[in-house]
Amino acid sequence: MKIGIVCYPTFGGSGVVATELGMALANKGHEVHFITSKQPVRLDLISKNIHFHEVFVEEYPLFQYQPYELALSTKLVEVVTTYELEILHVHYAIPHAYAAYMAKKMLMCKGIDVKVVTTLHGTDITLVGSHPTYKAAVEFSINNSDAVTVVSNNLKQDTLRLFNINIPIEVIYNFIDFKHYPRIKEGDCTRSALASDDEFIITHVSNMRPVKRPMDVIDIFYKIQKEVPSKLLLVGEGPEIEKLEYRVKELGIYDKVIFLGNSNDVHKVLCYSDLFVLPSRTESFGLAALEAMAAKTPVISTNTGGLPEVNIQGKTGFLSDLGNVDEMAENAISLLKNKELLNEFKENAQQQAKEFSIDKILPLYEAVYKSVAVGCC
Ligand code: GMT
């Protein structure tokens, strides 16, 4: 099929999912066109069947805000027409579902019936999408999509609770492409540059926004390092970083915390991690936790949102109530002190991640595309 993918090109999970999905579809022989504001960070452009179309926004002094949606809709019309795309798969409702709806309407006037598949990812529903500023437009563009998917059962419930939805919503979980994992050879996974042999490595990966509660990560690690020799790796950049650095200095643990910034090699960082910490306020799915588990890293997380659908209590990690840093630290310490149990959790984590292998998930998306395309002709 000929499929257009619209997503945020940044390090956020929805962009990662969209990019990995597009590359897997291309690998399977579909013609995939990414239509985004920048080249997505994980996109390998030198691959067969992959095309990239950058959306430019023309600046004009009159505009207080640049009209990205307008530029995106225009680009979608151009790409669909030129390459005869059958499907536009938009990731993250704001503003992508809305821009795709506009493009669909414009194309209809030219006699072209492109189908719009919208995948909801999380804050496009919970934190941002349901805000009165956006709610009506988000609800309208969900209901006027040809098909809608969400990344967890929990997000489906949130969507139905927060919006007046009159279209079926299918749950298609996020996935892992295990092709990336064998690339790590024994020698690649040398921890010596980051920690000494007797130290455990605790990792947190996020865009360091308040919703991820990175300050809780510091508080949890502070308690852990008092009991077991350990280092904390923080991967990602975002608005909380400065506060975190300040807090780490204040606690006197600056030499034990490594700020790695954004990375395209998260799986390499994860391969030498012993535990992953994700104390988020809400998480529709928690792709970062799944990526950690794929690399055999058990997860200490909150029990919010879709996290219990990914991280299994007492098997792949432990889940606690939001803000209960004492319990999260205790769980981490008891696991790190019990080598046998830690190894068992590491194996369990990878086994559980295999349930989310791309081989299982890709056909579900293909089925959605086929079902809407069949309706069309
Ligand atoms: O909402 C965000 O934090 C951004 C969004 C994204 O674009 O990265 O993350 C959401 O989508 C991810 C991919 O489906 C999920 O794994 C994250 O759990 C989800 N974030 C939240 O719900 C907070």
Side-chain angles (χ1 to χ4, degrees), residues 12-14 17 92 121-123 151 174 209 282-287:
S14 62
V17 168
Y92 205 89
H121 279 272
T123 50
V151 298
N174 286 333
R209 285 175 301 153
T282 177
E283 202 70 72
S284 69
F285 180 89
L287 183 66

Side-chain angles (χ1 to χ4, degrees), residues 3 5-28 30 32 34 36 40-44 47-48 50 89 91 121 173-181 183 263-267 287 290-291 294 356-359 361-363 365 369:
I3 303 153
I5 291 193
V6 179
C7 65
Y8 283 108
T10 49
F11 282 90
S14 62
V16 168
V17 168
T19 308
E20 300 275 359
L21 174 64
M23 291 197 296
L25 288 164
N27 200 28
K28 232 178 146 182
H30 298 283
V32 179
F34 283 88
T36 55
V41 284
R42 286 204 196 172
L43 181 61
D44 183 3
S47 323
K48 210 174 156 204
I50 297 266
H89 187 174
H91 293 258
H121 279 272
Y173 281 129
N174 286 333
F175 54 83
I176 282 288
D177 191 343
F178 276 90
K179 266 208 310 295
H180 297 316
Y181 289 82
R183 268 198 238 147
S263 170
N264 253 339
D265 288 323
V266 172
H267 54 294
L287 183 66
L290 180 62
E291 293 194 322
F356 299 86
S357 155
I358 191 158
D359 301 338
I361 304 297
L362 191 64
Y365 278 117
Y369 301 155

Side-chain angles (χ1 to χ4, degrees), residues 313-338:
Q313 171 72 10
K315 195 171 170 218
T316 63
F318 291 105
L319 299 94
S320 300
D321 290 341
L322 174 62
N324 193 345
V325 291
D326 287 342
E327 188 181 282
M328 287 186 255
E330 277 162 29
N331 285 336
I333 293 163
S334 64
L335 200 51
L336 294 173
K337 281 186 171 173
N338 185 340

